[in-house]
Amino acid sequence: MEHIRVPKVENVCLVDRFSARKKVVGTLYLTSTHVIFVDPEGHKETWISHMHIGSVEKKTATANGCPLQIRCKNFLNVTFIIPRERECQDVCSSLITLSQPENLEDLYAFHFTASDATNRQNGWDFFDLKSEYLRMGVPNDNWSLSTINKDYELCDTYPRFLYIPATASTPIVLGSARFRSRGRLPVLSYLHRENQAAICRSSQPLSGFSARCEEDESLLQGIRKANPSSKYMYVVDTRPKINAIANRAAGKGYEKETFYSHIKFKFLGIENIHVMRSSLQKLIEVCELQNPTMSTFLSGLESSGWLRHIRAIVDTSAFVARMIQEGVSVMVHCSDGWDRTAQTCSLASLMLDPYYRTIEGFQTLIEKDWLSFGHKYTERCGHISGVDAKEVSPIFTQFIDCVWQLTQQFPMSFQFNERYLLTIHDHVFSCQFGTFIGCCEKDRVDLRLRDRTYSLWGYTSKYTSNFTNPFYTKNMEISQPTILPTVNPQSFKFWRAMYCRFDGGIHPKESITDVVCAMKDQIESLDDHRKLLEKRIAVLSKLLGYSAGEDSLMEAIQNLSSSESMDFRSLLLDDVSKDNADDVIKSSSATPPSGANRRNRLENDTECGGFDNGNVTLASRSLEEGDCVVSSGATDEGDRPGSIQVDQLLTELHSVATEWKSLRSAVVCSCALPFEQHSKKHHCWCCGNVYCTRCVDSVRLPGHDSSRPSPVCKSCCEWLKNTPVPSVNDFQKLQERA
């Protein structure tokens, strides 16, 4: 808080960069973690995490005030006009300091506490490196587990456990590590279980113009021989060849072919971090044009080169995946083996293994290829103030973009959706969770992140339904286990939801993915409700003397829907007057709190499946079959074993919404929170209305046959708590008696 010079500024104007006339006046708050702009008239709050802020610029003061422009790493660009220049300067200085902490331990993750009492350990035990390699079938006769790096002494940016060829001795491993940049020797990243072809990774050799290393040559021969189905292997250098040649002058470079027999070498031209940083900056400038023409936007997109770089990464990864599919092992490296190498190895594995295309598997892939084997998140994402600006580069952003490109070409092969990718990308920069803090496994161990911070995977596991792709077909794992994308230029798309996510008016009003998800959820809810109703009708039909045949059951359903053929009063109410019976039903708590489609069910004799409130009322007299009874809530016999109360039956009927509100018509949640573009909208399965994530809980609905929890709004949750819920076995007992 000592860095906040002014915690609150009133009469601040939020400018819409697409319309100079569209301005919102509100109050700007500075906290230790966020900038918050509150619009009192629109009941809208704009929250900006300090760690998302990439730059803050105070512009020249005008007659209306002093503009302050904030550009964020998640591509939010917002301008505030602050009335007094002095206050604008104070806000600017505060934000610059707060968005660039000096040390890793000053990051948000070390101070964040979940509001819902989530266990801090959730998600940290999700990944185990040895278990993942066991899934691949390693160790085996050709590959062994080495503990030579158990104290991170051989290579401090590699994981503790390394998988190397079984023929590789300790001197060979040590010699190869000395010959590779930063000690990042060739090790196993992925093994194809069927043909034993392997993806290995390393850094560039310290070869200079003529140096060689026999241990390194022996290790690569061991990798080649570990795949008995192929007589040769590939070494893929992801850099342009001219860059690799230039590195020779610094004593680095690339392998000399004459020293490595039965090995083919291939350069695959992915540019370095500086080119990628410049490309993204040009792309952002194009996206920030206020009124671009078609030719201006398309020419700007082309000149940025962004899609060209995305294509190069996917093309390189597809080549590696294709070689593995053909049974040829590949070793991948770039310069230091933690940027282009991480992109290529992870994307190739994603193409080859359907497990990595699930939500759980994708998290495993990131843990393995990006977190365990190291990526310089601190430098590449600019997490702290001491980072050299030349080290910042959108390497992980490119990886997420490449994955999205694959989901566009293979929409049925991925369990996760676009929102999942955006959420991961957001939290790489937010530093709210400890998952992406530090540059390698050793850093995270030294910082004790699992004890001091929350895991992103613990958070995502609570909202799996938000991230599920409705088009995902599990059978694709069998019919199409390997996906090889088309790399023609016209196959690559500009990702509007990533780079223009916060630009209003350019996105569709409804996401097709969310609409399909809502349709599937509604069908699932109604089908579950149908199963329960069929069981109830079958039991009541037996009690009333109908046979169990399919035709007679349908006839029974029709009869139960008619007040003339099914007079419950004559069956059940011999000893109770009509007035008393009406009093009983009016006192029932089985009326839900909201939902226009269900508000008047007790008054509608056709919606209750034969329970007519106007002509027929269930009261204290019971329909008995042995010891099992169907009774009302008012009975002198109390809760007899095997009894089902009428208000419980009504609760089952009323607890499931048959009509759901359209997502398009949902503009604001009941808590007054406006629905932003790409924010998840949830249907309450009980009332059918639409709510935000924080206004929905998961509870079991009495009207469902299954016992799994369903999304329910807070008001319906409260109603269900005060409503009798029948036991799962109640009607089973009744059916046995019938």
Side-chain angles (χ1 to χ4, degrees):
M1 294 295 291
E2 65 274 11
H3 301 301
I4 301 177
R5 299 185 181 183
V6 50
K8 177 182 177 182
V9 183
E10 296 182 342
N11 298 319
V12 174
C13 179
L14 173 60
V15 180
D16 187 323
R17 65 188 182 90
F18 291 101
S19 175
R21 297 180 179 179
K22 188 177 179 181
K23 299 179 181 179
V24 179
V25 178
T27 304
L28 190 69
Y29 296 89
L30 266 67
T31 72
S32 58
T33 59
H34 290 81
V35 183
I36 308 170
F37 177 77
V38 179
D39 168 19
E41 294 185 1
H43 303 288
K44 182 178 180 180
E45 297 179 359
T46 301
W47 289 60
I48 304 174
S49 168
H50 294 328
M51 295 309 305
H52 271 156
I53 296 176
S55 66
V56 184
E57 182 181 359
K58 174 181 169 291
K59 296 185 175 294
T60 304
T62 66
N64 296 324
C66 189
L68 183 70
Q69 185 177 34
I70 300 176
R71 286 190 174 96
C72 297
K73 300 171 185 176
N74 61 347
F75 308 109
L76 171 65
N77 181 5
V78 62
T79 299
F80 297 108
I81 298 180
I82 299 176
R84 288 175 288 278
E85 186 174 5
R86 175 71 182 186
E87 289 180 327
C88 184
Q89 182 61 51
D90 288 343
V91 172
C92 181
S93 301
S94 299
L95 290 180
I96 291 175
T97 303
L98 292 168
S99 63
Q100 298 177 1
E102 295 182 359
N103 303 304
L104 287 176
E105 296 189 7
D106 295 328
L107 294 175
Y108 183 26
F110 293 96
H111 309 285
F112 169 68
T113 301
S115 59
D116 57 356
T118 300
N119 188 340
R120 197 182 292 270
Q121 297 299 319
N122 287 352
W124 284 115
D125 294 326
F126 156 76
F127 175 75
D128 179 72
L129 187 66
K130 292 194 288 186
S131 298
E132 173 55 17
Y133 278 93
L134 280 174
R135 189 188 67 84
M136 302 181 204
V138 183
N140 55 31
D141 293 339
N142 299 316
W143 295 92
S144 62
L145 168 63
S146 173
T147 57
I148 194 171
N149 197 44
K150 62 177 181 171
D151 296 320
Y152 306 106
E153 294 180 352
L154 179 69
C155 177
D156 60 358
T157 58
Y158 264 1
R160 296 174 57 205
F161 303 112
L162 303 176
Y163 291 84
I164 58 177
T167 57
S169 62
T170 299
I172 288 177
V173 173
L174 293 174
S176 179
R178 287 192 294 268
F179 186 65
R180 293 282 168 173
S181 177
R182 300 183 183 273
R184 296 173 67 86
L185 72 155
V187 293
L188 180 67
S189 174
Y190 176 77
L191 183 68
H192 196 286
R193 296 199 64 159
E194 295 182 4
N195 60 27
Q196 295 300 297
I199 299 177
C200 295
R201 59 183 294 169
S202 72
S203 60
Q204 64 183 337
L206 304 177
S207 55
F209 289 101
S210 60
R212 65 180 295 186
C213 175
E214 294 183 357
E215 292 87 354
D216 189 72
E217 296 163 16
S218 298
L219 183 57
L220 262 67
Q221 293 300 326
I223 293 173
R224 179 182 66 82
K225 294 176 181 178
N227 178 13
S229 63
S230 179
K231 295 182 179 180
Y232 68 95
M233 65 172 285
Y234 268 100
V235 170
V236 170
D237 193 326
T238 61
R239 302 168 294 180
K241 188 171 183 178
I242 190 172
N243 292 13
I245 293 174
N247 281 349
R248 282 189 162 187
K252 300 177 182 180
Y254 57 94
E255 298 84 355
K256 193 171 183 179
E257 295 184 31
T258 55
F259 298 151
Y260 296 86
S261 60
H262 305 289
I263 296 178
K264 299 181 179 182
F265 294 85
K266 192 174 183 67
F267 290 92
L268 283 171
I270 302 175
E271 298 291 349
N272 61 32
I273 61 173
H274 312 295
V275 174
M276 300 307 188
R277 179 177 62 252
S278 175
S279 177
L280 180 63
Q281 182 57 43
K282 293 177 181 178
L283 179 69
I284 293 173
E285 291 173 0
V286 173
C287 295
E288 291 180 352
L289 294 174
Q290 289 193 357
N291 296 299
T293 63
M294 179 65 77
S295 60
T296 302
F297 179 81
L298 292 179
S299 61
L301 182 61
E302 167 61 24
S303 63
S304 73
W306 185 255
L307 288 180
R308 186 169 65 252
H309 298 315
I310 295 297
R311 179 185 179 275
I313 297 168
V314 174
D315 192 18
T316 301
S317 305
F319 173 81
V320 174
R322 190 162 54 250
M323 290 301 101
I324 297 299
Q325 189 181 36
E326 294 175 4
V328 180
S329 293
V330 181
M331 192 192 79
V332 181
H333 73 73
C334 51
S335 295
D336 290 326
W338 49 31
D339 292 320
R340 290 165 281 197
T341 300
Q343 290 174 333
T344 301
C345 289
S346 55
L347 286 170
S349 301
L350 190 71
M351 297 174 190
L352 290 164
D353 197 329
Y355 170 66
Y356 293 137
R357 300 194 286 270
T358 65
I359 292 177
E360 176 185 306
F362 190 67
Q363 295 171 180
T364 300
L365 182 68
I366 292 175
E367 285 278 355
K368 174 173 70 72
D369 279 325
W370 289 88
L371 299 176
S372 294
F373 281 104
H375 175 63
K376 299 172 70 175
Y377 285 101
T378 302
E379 285 79 8
R380 299 294 182 258
C381 300
H383 283 163
I384 56 178
S385 59
V387 171
D388 184 354
K390 293 182 179 180
E391 288 294 307
V392 176
S393 190
I395 302 303
F396 193 79
T397 299
Q398 287 182 319
F399 165 68
I400 294 294
D401 196 330
C402 290
V403 175
W404 180 80
Q405 300 288 345
L406 293 178
T407 65
Q408 297 305 291
Q409 292 197 30
F410 303 94
M412 299 173 65
S413 298
F414 290 83
Q415 186 186 21
F416 49 84
N417 59 19
E418 179 182 73
R419 184 178 291 109
Y420 181 66
L421 297 175
L422 292 173
T423 298
I424 292 176
H425 183 266
D426 283 352
H427 287 298
V428 167
F429 293 98
S430 74
C431 298
Q432 181 176 342
F433 302 95
T435 305
F436 294 101
I437 293 177
C439 299
C440 57
E441 184 179 283
K442 182 178 182 298
D443 285 353
R444 297 178 185 96
V445 171
D446 292 344
L447 288 168
R448 296 188 299 110
L449 293 178
R450 64 178 299 122
D451 298 323
R452 304 170 64 190
T453 66
Y454 291 88
S455 167
L456 174 60
W457 313 136
Y459 166 79
T460 57
S461 65
K462 292 173 21 181
Y463 303 104
T464 303
S465 62
N466 292 8
F467 307 127
T468 302
N469 171 23
F471 303 108
Y472 173 65
T473 304
K474 192 169 178 61
N475 292 338
M476 297 295 289
E477 297 180 6
I478 300 173
S479 61
Q480 195 178 23
T482 300
I483 55 173
L484 294 177
T486 301
V487 293
N488 296 327
Q490 58 269 35
S491 300
F492 292 86
K493 303 177 182 179
F494 171 71
W495 191 3
R496 181 186 58 209
M498 168 73 92
Y499 307 108
C500 300
R501 190 188 348 170
F502 302 98
D503 296 345
I506 67 171
H507 302 284
K509 292 185 177 180
E510 292 176 304
S511 164
I512 185 63
T513 301
D514 287 347
V515 171
V516 174
C517 273
M519 292 173 62
K520 292 182 69 174
D521 288 344
Q522 186 176 16
I523 292 171
E524 181 181 353
S525 176
L526 293 176
D527 188 57
D528 205 352
H529 189 46
R530 173 191 60 81
K531 292 177 181 178
L532 183 72
L533 294 180
E534 285 182 351
K535 290 183 179 180
R536 300 298 187 257
I537 292 171
V539 172
L540 292 175
S541 298
K542 289 182 181 180
L543 290 173
L544 296 170
Y546 293 98
S547 62
E550 182 177 351
D551 294 338
S552 59
L553 177 57
M554 293 302 298
E555 183 179 352
I557 294 174
Q558 294 174 359
N559 289 335
L560 285 172
S561 300
S562 169
S563 61
E564 295 180 358
S565 60
M566 184 60 190
D567 190 349
F568 273 99
R569 182 180 302 281
S570 62
L571 289 171
L572 305 179
L573 306 180
D574 293 343
D575 299 333
V576 181
S577 68
K578 177 180 183 300
D579 294 338
N580 291 337
D582 288 340
D583 291 340
V584 172
I585 198 67
K586 288 178 182 177
S587 65
S588 172
S589 61
T591 304
S594 63
N597 55 309
R598 298 158 45 249
R599 212 167 269 143
N600 300 316
R601 277 197 184 176
L602 289 179
E603 286 81 284
N604 189 335
D605 62 336
T606 62
E607 291 186 3
C608 294
F611 296 96
D612 185 357
N613 185 37
N615 299 320
V616 181
T617 309
L618 304 183
S620 59
R621 182 62 180 255
S622 302
L623 172 65
E624 302 190 11
E625 183 70 22
D627 292 332
C628 297
V629 296
V630 179
S631 65
S632 75
T635 176
D636 295 335
E637 300 181 22
D639 295 331
R640 293 176 51 182
S643 67
I644 299 294
Q645 296 182 354
V646 171
D647 52 0
Q648 294 176 343
L649 297 177
L650 294 175
T651 298
E652 292 181 343
L653 291 170
H654 293 173
S655 66
V656 177
T658 57
E659 295 180 7
W660 286 15
K661 186 177 180 180
S662 169
L663 293 178
R664 177 187 289 267
S665 61
V667 179
V668 63
C669 180
S670 61
C671 66
L673 178 70
F675 289 116
E676 299 287 351
Q677 184 67 36
H678 302 294
S679 62
K680 176 65 175 178
K681 299 177 183 178
H682 299 267
H683 276 102
C684 171
W685 290 24
C686 183
C687 68
N689 288 327
V690 181
Y691 298 89
C692 66
T693 299
R694 66 185 184 186
C695 290
V696 172
D697 292 325
S698 292
V699 298
R700 180 188 176 276
L701 291 178
H704 280 170
D705 184 51
S706 65
S707 58
R708 72 175 186 82
S710 302
V712 177
C713 68
K714 295 187 182 298
S715 59
C716 287
C717 283
E718 188 65 28
W719 169 69
L720 289 170
K721 289 179 183 178
N722 300 322
T723 303
V725 180
S727 168
V728 176
N729 297 321
D730 283 342
F731 259 93
Q732 292 179 354
K733 296 177 182 178
L734 189 60
Q735 189 171 10
E736 292 173 1
R737 296 291 183 180

